Amino acid sequence: RTRDLIFKIAENSPAPGGGSASALAGSVGSALLSMVALLTHEKKDFLSKRKKMSDFGEQAHKYQKRLIELIDEDTLAFHNVINANRLPQNSKTEIKIKKEALFKANKIATDTPFEIASISLKVLRLSIEMIKQGNPNSVTDAYVAAEVCNAGIRGGCANVMINLSSFENISDYDPEINDKIQEMLNESTRLHRKAFLLTNKIIGRQN
């Protein structure tokens, strides 16, 4: 299935595209954190962290499940925009119907990558905890989770930004959307850097 998805992305069709790829990146990150949580939970040396690792693993699995759903939802949202654009507009009634359909389709097509970015940010936050508290033998796995989730966040935000051009006025979608995007990007940049520094510190201690 992963092979099929990658081949599908590679085809001469705009969907699945960057939004779905961003969701895929986030889902891979959350899967890695699930793995690290399990590898830590199973070790006798980390008995005191079993409850915490169980909780972290459940969170990661929840994020993974939703991001996997969003891979297909982003593709569907794009096709709905295409279909709305193809509606006839030969009368005032048809023009009104098409305008309403386009607004609804464009809103979903913007909401979807925003959710992708938002959940990927939650996974990135969790990766910091897993780097700090997880089995140090798996620290690079938790770090890779941070890397791919950073891509999911930035990719999701980029798709939100390009879709905002579909609205006559950005405030028709969300007057605060630009601030929300910038806040996410700022936090992801900070956490991505923190993940890198923490990982290097732990690897340095092991050498």
Side-chain angles (χ1 to χ4, degrees), residues 1-206:
R1 292 174 59 185
T2 303
R3 180 187 177 92
D4 292 341
L5 174 60
I6 292 172
F7 281 160
K8 190 72 176 174
I9 292 172
E11 292 176 356
N12 61 339
S13 171
S20 294
S22 297
L24 177 61
S27 67
V28 169
S30 55
L32 281 166
L33 294 186
S34 291
M35 181 190 75
V36 175
L38 285 170
L39 290 174
T40 307
H41 186 278
E42 293 170 355
K43 292 290 184 180
K44 294 180 180 179
D45 294 345
F46 301 101
L47 283 175
S48 63
K49 294 184 178 181
R50 281 196 166 179
K51 175 63 170 64
K52 186 170 290 185
M53 288 301 130
S54 179
D55 292 342
F56 285 165
E58 287 180 11
Q59 288 179 48
H61 181 72
K62 180 181 71 174
Y63 298 146
Q64 176 190 334
K65 182 175 182 294
R66 181 59 187 143
L67 285 162
I68 289 172
E69 293 171 347
L70 286 164
I71 294 172
D72 291 331
E73 287 184 23
D74 188 80
T75 299
L76 179 62
F78 176 83
H79 288 306
N80 286 340
V81 171
I82 297 299
N83 291 335
N85 270 304
R86 290 173 176 166
L87 289 172
Q89 46 184 353
N90 301 315
S91 67
K92 288 184 178 179
T93 299
E94 287 182 347
I95 291 172
K96 181 181 178 182
I97 291 172
K98 181 173 183 176
K99 185 176 181 179
E100 290 173 351
L102 272 171
F103 181 85
K104 181 179 180 181
N106 283 318
K107 185 178 186 306
I108 294 172
T110 309
D111 287 345
T112 304
F114 185 82
E115 185 178 359
I116 290 168
S118 299
I119 297 176
S120 295
L121 179 57
K122 291 178 181 179
V123 183
L124 177 53
R125 291 172 185 150
L126 184 58
S127 73
I128 298 296
E129 295 305 314
M130 294 304 301
I131 289 170
K132 291 192 294 186
Q133 302 185 51
N135 185 337
N137 291 327
S138 301
V139 67
T140 53
D141 298 304
Y143 171 67
V144 172
E147 282 286 349
V148 294
C149 284
N150 189 50
I153 296 159
R154 299 183 73 83
C157 286
N159 277 275
V160 171
M161 290 186 285
I162 196 168
N163 288 335
L164 288 176
S165 63
S166 304
F167 299 94
E168 292 181 10
N169 194 319
I170 290 179
S171 61
D172 292 338
Y173 174 73
D174 182 351
E176 298 178 354
I177 187 61
N178 283 324
D179 290 337
K180 291 176 181 177
I181 290 171
Q182 194 57 54
E183 285 174 9
M184 278 200 288
L185 291 173
N186 289 344
E187 184 176 359
S188 68
T189 298
R190 179 178 60 80
L191 292 178
H192 177 248
R193 177 64 177 167
K194 185 175 183 178
F196 178 76
L197 294 174
L198 284 170
T199 300
N200 277 351
K201 185 176 180 181
I202 292 168
I203 291 173
R205 279 207 302 265
Q206 289 185 310

